[in-house]
Amino acid sequence: MVHPVYADLPTTIFEEMSGLARQTGAINLGQGFPDDAGPMALRHKAGEALITGTNQYPPMRGLPALRQAAAAHYARTQGLDLNWESEIVITSGATEALAAAFLSLISPGDEVVLFQPLYDAYLPMVKRAGGVPKLVRLAPPHWRFDRAMLEAAFSDRTRMVVLNTPLNPAGVVTPDEDLALLAQFCVKHDAIAVCDEVWEAVVFDGARHRPLIGYPGMRERTVKIGSAGKMFGMTGWKVGFLCAAPALTKALAGAHQFLTFTTPPNLQEAVAFGLGEPGDWFEAMPAGLQRSRDRLAAGLREAGFVVLDSGGTYFLNVDLAASGVDEDDRTFALRAVRDHGVASIPVSAFYAEDPVRHILRLCFAKADDTLDEAVARLASARG
């Protein structure tokens, strides 16, 4: 009676580890959410809009003010020229945006190129839409793909490629030359690129996010997905952006209207305000997270862990094998949360096949004292 895609799906690793953290009172460096409540100005705006604004259905594609603000934001920060009326749809989070893209653009039998490690929603949603996954395995420490890897994955049946950059869980920003190479393959195979760019505002060390939609030949074949929840550090808000050329957007909107149809209007108003009057948020926010990254990395290295570079997202990774830990990532993660009071995420959970089993993901979007205590506990777990 249950569709086979969903019949045997396990509880996500995020829910499992967060549940163990709640049960044991552990520090939670597993699930990726910040400690603080988010920008006060946006929360005030959302509250005001809830009381004084409309609480009836907003336009299905999103409030004009938010779509205009999103277009202006992407023009200012990424040099994109998006038509707010015909090329932007507001969704109830980036995961809903992904679902709309997969449901509207994949037909049964279409091949879909996916990069491992991958966000756990991709695979079941692609399969439920009838897609045939073609997996490309990325590996530490650099997590890069090359021409040979793409040649093995792409074929004359390739309909879509799904790219997450900056990449969760690896914490890397896809290099320009890799993006250019992927664009060449998309054009050659007439494939659509669905780009999960929810971490686009969270990049470090002076780097600049470059969207695939801006590369030659990609403007008409790319679906760009963003997340206000990640931009403003309020992951529960679930306000997403679908950006694509008009022909694609028409299909995306058609799927969106029968998924969530719309998104709370007060949150849309607040996000429009935040994008329109950000102050120094988009400079101060990544700078603060970079300091937290550096604090956690320094503490872990002092405790004897080998830490991989993190160029973006809320995450950095520890190489357990190189750190002298004779356990796989899941075994260590379970022991660390149960016996030492710190939750993490084993990166093997982000693989559908042939997993990397020696990398542990940690969230650094936490207060200094939380990070320091987590380091002490992880040092104890390392022994």
Side-chain angles (χ1 to χ4, degrees), residues 137-212:
R137 183 182 185 270
L138 308 183
H142 302 299
W143 313 94
R144 295 183 65 176
F145 54 83
D146 58 25
R147 182 175 295 276
M149 295 163 75
L150 296 185
E151 287 175 345
F154 279 75
S155 76
D156 57 6
R157 295 178 298 280
T158 301
R159 170 64 171 168
M160 178 184 291
V161 59
V162 182
L163 176 71
N164 175 214
T165 183
L167 175 60
N168 172 23
V172 296
V173 178
T174 306
D176 292 351
E177 56 266 38
D178 294 13
L179 293 172
L181 178 65
L182 184 60
Q184 292 173 19
F185 272 77
C186 290
V187 172
K188 177 182 177 181
H189 291 273
D190 193 24
I192 295 168
V194 173
C195 295
D196 179 352
E197 300 181 6
V198 299
W199 299 104
E200 61 195 344
V202 190
V203 294
F204 309 129
D205 305 312
R208 179 172 174 263
H209 175 75
R210 290 198 63 190
L212 191 64

Side-chain angles (χ1 to χ4, degrees), residues 64-350:
L66 179 50
R67 291 153 67 200
Q68 291 164 6
H73 172 78
Y74 284 131
R76 184 170 60 249
T77 60
Q78 298 176 21
L80 299 179
D81 181 18
L82 296 168
N83 184 302
W84 72 267
E85 291 184 281
S86 61
E87 297 187 313
I88 297 178
V89 175
I90 305 305
T91 61
S92 293
T95 301
E96 194 243 310
L98 288 162
F102 296 153
L103 290 172
S104 63
L105 301 177
I106 296 172
S107 296
D110 287 342
E111 292 185 355
V112 179
V113 176
L114 298 158
F115 296 96
Q116 301 185 102
L118 45 73
Y119 178 50
D120 60 357
Y122 295 166
L123 206 55
M125 288 198 292
V126 165
K127 288 180 177 179
R128 188 63 184 89
V132 178
K134 305 294 286 186
L135 299 174
V136 177
R137 183 182 185 270
L138 308 183
H142 302 299
W143 313 94
R144 295 183 65 176
F145 54 83
D146 58 25
R147 182 175 295 276
M149 295 163 75
L150 296 185
E151 287 175 345
F154 279 75
S155 76
D156 57 6
R157 295 178 298 280
T158 301
R159 170 64 171 168
M160 178 184 291
V161 59
V162 182
L163 176 71
N164 175 214
T165 183
L167 175 60
N168 172 23
V172 296
V173 178
T174 306
D176 292 351
E177 56 266 38
D178 294 13
L179 293 172
L181 178 65
L182 184 60
Q184 292 173 19
F185 272 77
C186 290
V187 172
K188 177 182 177 181
H189 291 273
D190 193 24
I192 295 168
V194 173
C195 295
D196 179 352
E197 300 181 6
V198 299
W199 299 104
E200 61 195 344
V202 190
V203 294
F204 309 129
D205 305 312
R208 179 172 174 263
H209 175 75
R210 290 198 63 190
L212 191 64
I213 196 172
Y215 281 74
M218 297 307 296
R219 184 65 173 81
E220 303 301 313
R221 66 176 66 254
T222 301
V223 178
K224 172 181 170 61
I225 295 174
S227 165
K230 298 296 194 301
M231 283 181 178
F232 294 109
M234 295 184 287
T235 57
W237 273 33
K238 305 301 289 181
V239 179
F241 314 113
L242 269 172
C243 308
L248 290 177
T249 294
K250 182 179 179 181
L252 297 166
H256 163 68
Q257 71 178 332
F258 295 130
L259 286 167
T260 63
F261 181 73
T262 190
T263 299
N266 70 309
L267 299 184
Q268 292 195 53
E269 285 198 31
V271 172
F273 167 77
L275 291 175
E277 300 181 38
D280 67 349
W281 174 259
F282 290 111
E283 294 76 39
M285 176 268 293
L289 287 166
Q290 182 174 320
R291 286 191 296 271
S292 296
R293 176 202 66 177
D294 292 346
R295 186 183 190 95
L296 179 59
L300 289 168
R301 289 183 175 119
E302 187 174 343
F305 287 100
V306 173
V307 180
L308 303 184
D309 291 338
S310 170
T313 76
Y314 293 162
F315 310 111
L316 60 74
N317 290 278
V318 168
D319 186 327
L320 294 173
S323 304
V325 176
D326 189 23
E327 289 175 310
D328 65 62
D329 55 354
R330 179 173 173 81
T331 301
F332 181 88
L334 289 172
R335 186 170 60 82
V337 69
R338 289 171 176 160
D339 299 342
H340 298 274
V342 58
S344 58
I345 298 291
V347 168
S348 59
F350 292 82

Side-chain angles (χ1 to χ4, degrees), residues 2-27:
V2 178
H3 191 280
V5 169
Y6 298 105
D8 298 313
L9 276 183
T11 302
T12 71
I13 189 66
F14 313 107
E15 183 61 25
E16 180 183 10
M17 287 297 174
S18 289
L20 286 169
R22 288 190 295 270
Q23 291 171 23
T24 62
I27 294 171

